[in-house]
Amino acid sequence: MTAITHHAPDALLAAYAAGSLPHPYALVVATHISLCLECRAEYEAHLAGGGAVLETVGAEAVSDGLKTSVLNLLDAPCAPQPTYPRTGVYPGPVMEALKGKPPRWKSLGLGVRQSILSSGREGSTRLLYIPPGQAVPDHSHNGLELTLVLQGSFSDSTGRFGVGDLEVADQDLEHTPTADPGAPCICLAATDAPLRFNSLVPRILQPFFRI
Amino acid sequence: MWMLAVRDGRDRAAFAALFDHFAPRLKGFFMRSGTASAQAEEIVQEVMLTVWHKAGQFDPARAQVSAWIYQIARNRQIDVFRKERRPMPEELLSDAHDAEPDATQILAVEQEASQLKQALARLKPDQRAIIEKAYLGELSHQEISTETGLPLGTIKSRIRLGLEKLRHDLKELR
Ligand SMILES: [Zn+2]
């Protein structure tokens, strides 16, 4: 396990623990926590904060029948939820987003590939595959962009990001992440708006690629 | 401890005691975020059933019961109101409860929890309202990061405590 040097900021972990992060960011944070003990400890500490609020926020009497009906339901069968174990470089939360199947890569040109995991009103999540030495297509994004490295590494003006490292980029960051030599770089990326690439694919085609 | 009796003994009396403690608090928690009484009780019922079914995942050396139930409660609310499943981190592979229970650590986790509760009670009402809103899920992460005065100092020692335990567990696995 290589040392993780770029972590999730505390506000992001607090918001994730409180369940107030939009789904795309929540997926990236859950995946980072799966790889990072320090952020797991911080996340669990925030759950303790939530527990303290639950204990103190004020009780409301429940109806007389509620306890009996819950006790009567204890033996009712409950459908187990499917679990998605880590597969290769993809931690459990990513495997769940992939519904247990391998990524479906689509070429973006120059060897760069993407596999869209989700795209909707709250933003989008995708896997990116970048050959060594290749730059992530120059792009701008409206809000916060989270990028988590799953394989290989990339570098940009803010530093080097290896497996488990999380880059938090706000809209002011002009960056051109470039995959380092060695293994191809695979990242999980989330934005709160459709990602626009400035080159590589003419803007007019972007609706077709959903990028 | 009721929760351990539920986990290890499938003890219904202990579960009933947990219900008596947490069901009214869960209902109050849900109604604070604007849920009507009847729907709040439906969610309470689902949360308490999840507590029963998933008791095997509870690890007292990592989480206090209230923290563990808080997570289940927020997941259930997200399920009901946002119609989506919150992505959850992988479970750590430590079989914490097969090994000898770490009494010192369990005690430390409980002490931290009661210190957190006391710290919350000592806050000025407006500071306390911010913390409550944050953990009720009513603040965005931008709002949390701009609340520079979030008096979560006690969280810091909780992080250190948790990290020591996680590192210890990971060493055991190797
Ligand atoms: Zn981290």
Side-chain angles (χ1 to χ4, degrees):
Chain A
M1 200 149 78
T2 52
I4 294 173
T5 52
H6 300 274
H7 294 280
D10 183 62
L12 213 53
L13 289 167
Y16 172 69
S20 47
L21 275 190
H23 191 272
Y25 297 152
L27 174 62
V28 178
V29 173
T31 307
H32 179 75
I33 292 171
S34 300
L35 299 170
C36 178
L37 283 190
E38 281 170 55
C39 289
R40 185 185 288 269
E42 207 161 322
Y43 156 68
E44 290 181 350
H46 282 297
L47 292 180
V53 169
L54 172 62
E55 285 278 3
T56 53
V57 81
E60 289 280 340
V62 296
S63 343
D64 291 340
L66 190 64
K67 185 171 167 183
T68 317
S69 84
V70 169
L71 289 172
N72 286 339
L73 282 168
L74 293 185
D75 295 322
C78 77
Q81 275 171 344
T83 55
Y84 298 93
R86 185 185 295 220
T87 308
V89 301
Y90 305 113
V94 175
M95 287 312 295
E96 181 170 349
L98 285 164
K99 301 187 179 69
K101 299 188 196 102
R104 298 175 54 149
W105 297 110
K106 295 241 166 65
S107 173
L108 291 177
L110 300 176
V112 178
R113 297 181 234 164
Q114 76 168 348
S115 169
I116 293 174
L117 301 177
S118 72
S119 179
R121 212 167 24 84
E122 284 199 307
S124 61
T125 52
R126 72 197 63 222
L127 292 166
L128 282 167
Y129 176 103
I130 308 143
Q134 183 66 49
V136 177
D138 186 21
H139 63 281
S140 49
H141 42 88
N142 296 329
L144 189 70
E145 182 186 36
L146 300 182
T147 310
L148 175 68
V149 178
L150 301 177
Q151 176 186 294
S153 64
F154 72 79
S155 299
D156 67 14
S157 55
T158 67
R160 181 182 177 276
F161 296 80
V163 172
D165 280 331
L166 175 68
E167 181 173 58
V168 181
D170 65 18
Q171 54 201 358
D172 301 327
L173 181 70
E174 280 280 335
H175 62 149
T176 309
T178 303
D180 294 325
C185 181
I186 297 179
C187 303
L188 171 67
T191 50
D192 61 358
L195 192 70
R196 294 188 201 292
F197 287 110
N198 296 332
S199 57
L200 223 60
V201 181
R203 178 134 315 158
I204 196 161
L205 287 179
Q206 289 193 358
F208 301 104
F209 283 95
R210 286 207 294 166
I211 59 180
Chain B
M1 266 180 73
W2 299 326
M3 193 59 223
L4 288 180
V6 169
R7 186 189 79 182
D8 301 331
R10 305 312 275 154
D11 183 331
R12 281 159 198 265
F15 180 80
L18 269 185
F19 183 96
D20 290 338
H21 181 82
F22 280 105
R25 284 171 172 80
L26 285 165
K27 186 178 174 187
F29 184 85
F30 297 143
M31 289 182 69
R32 270 293 288 274
S33 13
T35 309
S37 173
Q39 190 177 19
E41 291 204 352
E42 274 174 39
I43 309 175
V44 170
Q45 170 162 331
E46 286 160 359
V47 169
M48 290 311 296
L49 286 172
T50 305
V51 168
W52 175 258
H53 289 301
K54 295 210 169 152
Q57 294 175 6
F58 173 70
D59 177 359
R62 296 254 307 280
Q64 224 265 343
V65 186
S66 61
W68 189 68
I69 294 183
Y70 167 76
Q71 182 190 42
I72 294 172
R74 287 297 291 134
N75 279 351
R76 198 60 216 157
Q77 278 182 301
I78 289 166
D79 224 13
V80 170
F81 295 107
R82 303 222 301 250
K83 307 269 182 274
E84 62 185 30
R85 224 159 91 78
R86 170 159 59 145
M88 295 303 287
E90 284 173 6
E91 290 291 323
L92 274 195
L93 294 170
S94 75
D95 284 314
H97 34 269
D98 290 346
E100 192 71 10
D102 183 346
T104 330
Q105 175 75 13
I106 294 172
L107 189 67
V109 165
E110 279 180 11
Q111 281 170 349
E112 286 284 346
S114 69
Q115 277 165 16
L116 262 175
K117 248 164 71 175
Q118 287 161 14
L120 205 56
R122 278 196 305 267
L123 290 177
K124 295 198 194 92
D126 54 331
Q127 287 179 314
R128 189 176 160 159
I130 290 169
I131 300 277
E132 286 178 357
K133 277 179 89 167
Y135 289 115
L136 283 161
E138 291 169 358
L139 297 184
S140 70
H141 82 274
Q142 290 96 333
E143 288 167 327
I144 294 174
S145 55
T146 51
E147 291 295 346
T148 47
L150 267 196
L152 291 177
T154 34
I155 291 273
K156 290 266 159 29
S157 58
R158 180 62 180 76
I159 294 172
R160 277 194 295 277
L161 178 72
L163 188 56
E164 277 165 32
K165 170 67 180 162
L166 289 168
R167 285 194 172 130
H168 174 82
D169 283 1
L170 206 72
K171 226 177 280 159
E172 305 259 292
L173 280 171
R174 283 191 180 136

